[in-house]
Amino acid sequence: MSDGNINDQLRLLVERAERLIEERKGLNEDIKDVMLEAKSLGYDVPTIKWAIKERAIERAKRQETSALRETYAVQLGLDF
Amino acid sequence: MSDGNINDQLRLLVERAERLIEERKGLNEDIKDVMLEAKSLGYDVPTIKWAIKERAIERAKRQETSALRETYAVQLGLDF
Amino acid sequence: MSDGNINDQLRLLVERAERLIEERKGLNEDIKDVMLEAKSLGYDVPTIKWAIKERAIERAKRQETSALRETYAVQLGLDF
Amino acid sequence: MSDGNINDQLRLLVERAERLIEERKGLNEDIKDVMLEAKSLGYDVPTIKWAIKERAIERAKRQETSALRETYAVQLGLDF
DNA sequence: ACGTTTGCGCTTTAGC
DNA sequence: GCTAAAGCGCAAACGT
């Protein structure tokens, strides 16, 4: 009985993780589909991927900048 | 105008892909959360990941029942 | 002069790496040749590659004899 | 007898391929070592890898790629 | 916190 | 030329 519950607890955790992993695989398929669509519209897929990467870098830098500004603002007692 | 449409087409594709990539990041967070919960319940996370992998392998193995593979395996002394 | 030495240091490292990469490409050619020879002798190349993989897996499996893994495997109904 | 010869023929092919694959693994180790040495000398490894890649790309293709990237970047409003 | 190591996604290459 | 697979590089996660 208690053994059964222990097994269930582990099994449930494993199955939840497996479910999420499956969903992730589905998203990867979707991303792939977007790229195929882009390709069919005449776009160059590697270059699109490069552009997405660049945009992510720009966002990260922006966030970094914002965080830094917030830090300084707090230290200087600026309101938001 | 038509230039604008072309830009939109590309921008839309990129934004769709970026959205999906964000969702994938969210799922990775969820998976991580499951592992943290497992850990808090006293389970060993690396071993759980190993078990998930093994289950996936077992599922995959059910699809490789080629007679040719068995023939080669026998000739090379591979166990089953 | 000293600038020249610094450049040489970097250039030398890059060239060493490039040389090794070239050798690796050569080995890939050799592997491909073996597969072509196997094919010409009537063997099925994908199955040979599968067999090589299986042999590698068998070798690797001899190193995973964790008691914890076995425990989890039993609870999850994994075969050995 | 003839079965034995057939087995040997297949086994020999597999072993030749495995030998070459092992050598390739060795070269990968060597490349890794060069990168570690570069790192210990203060160089940035990802940038070195980028440089090697660039050197490998044909000049014409590099120009083509750069022009395409610039076009996409302009359409997406990426700064340079 | 850092360095190491594994796993995962991407790229490139091989086969059809 | 396209599809499928395998190797490579990178990034996140574990252990120190």
Side-chain angles (χ1 to χ4, degrees), chain A residues 35-48:
Chain A
M35 294 304 165
L36 286 175
E37 184 181 342
K39 185 180 182 178
S40 76
L41 291 169
Y43 293 104
D44 182 69
V45 172
T47 307
I48 286 185

Side-chain angles (χ1 to χ4, degrees), chain A residues 5-7 9-11 13-18 20-25 27-28 30-31 33-35 37-38 41 43 48 51-52 55-56 59, chain B residues 5-7 9-11 13-18 20-25 27-28 30-31 33-35 37-38 41 43 48 51-52 55-56 59:
Chain A
N5 287 336
I6 291 172
N7 287 347
Q9 192 181 48
L10 177 58
R11 210 196 62 247
L13 284 165
V14 166
E15 285 172 358
R16 275 173 59 201
E18 285 173 338
L20 292 167
I21 290 166
E22 275 310 302
E23 288 183 43
R24 187 174 58 184
K25 281 180 69 176
L27 279 175
N28 280 328
D30 292 342
I31 293 167
D33 287 344
V34 172
M35 294 304 165
E37 184 181 342
L41 291 169
Y43 293 104
I48 286 185
I52 290 172
R55 280 160 66 101
R59 275 190 297 269
Chain B
N5 286 338
I6 291 172
N7 288 346
Q9 191 181 48
L10 177 58
R11 209 197 63 249
L13 284 166
V14 167
E15 285 171 358
R16 275 174 59 203
E18 285 173 338
L20 292 167
I21 289 166
E22 275 310 302
E23 288 183 42
R24 186 175 56 185
K25 281 180 69 175
L27 278 176
N28 280 327
D30 292 343
I31 293 167
D33 287 343
V34 172
M35 294 304 164
E37 184 181 342
L41 290 169
Y43 293 106
I48 285 187
I52 289 172
R55 280 159 66 100
R59 279 189 292 262

Side-chain angles (χ1 to χ4, degrees), chain C residues 29-56:
Chain C
E29 292 299 312
D30 292 343
I31 293 167
K32 191 177 176 179
D33 287 344
V34 172
M35 294 305 164
L36 287 175
E37 183 181 341
K39 187 177 183 179
S40 76
L41 291 169
Y43 293 106
D44 182 68
V45 173
T47 306
I48 285 187
K49 288 184 177 178
W50 168 84
I52 290 173
K53 220 173 196 171
E54 284 297 309
R55 280 159 65 100

Side-chain angles (χ1 to χ4, degrees), chain C residues 9 18 24 28 43 55, chain D residues 9 18 24 28 43 55:
Chain C
Q9 192 180 48
E18 284 172 339
R24 187 174 60 187
N28 280 329
Y43 293 106
R55 280 159 65 100
Chain D
Q9 191 180 49
E18 284 174 337
R24 186 174 57 186
N28 280 329
Y43 293 105
R55 280 161 64 101

Side-chain angles (χ1 to χ4, degrees), chain C residues 6-7 9-11 13-18 20-21 23-25 27-28 30-31 33-35 37-38 41 43 48 51-52 55-56 59, chain D residues 5-7 9-11 13-18 20-24 27-28 30-31 33-35 37-38 41 43 48 51-52 55-56:
Chain C
I6 291 172
N7 288 345
Q9 192 180 48
L10 178 57
R11 209 198 63 247
L13 283 166
V14 166
E15 286 171 359
R16 274 173 60 201
E18 284 172 339
L20 292 167
I21 290 167
E23 288 183 43
R24 187 174 60 187
K25 282 182 67 176
L27 278 175
N28 280 329
D30 292 343
I31 293 167
D33 287 344
V34 172
M35 294 305 164
E37 183 181 341
L41 291 169
Y43 293 106
I48 285 187
I52 290 173
R55 280 159 65 100
R59 279 187 292 261
Chain D
N5 286 337
I6 290 173
N7 287 348
Q9 191 180 49
L10 177 59
R11 210 196 62 246
L13 283 166
V14 166
E15 286 171 358
R16 273 173 60 199
E18 284 174 337
L20 292 166
I21 289 167
E22 276 308 304
E23 288 183 42
R24 186 174 57 186
L27 278 175
N28 280 329
D30 292 344
I31 293 168
D33 287 344
V34 172
M35 294 304 165
E37 184 180 342
L41 290 169
Y43 293 105
I48 286 185
I52 289 172
R55 280 161 64 101

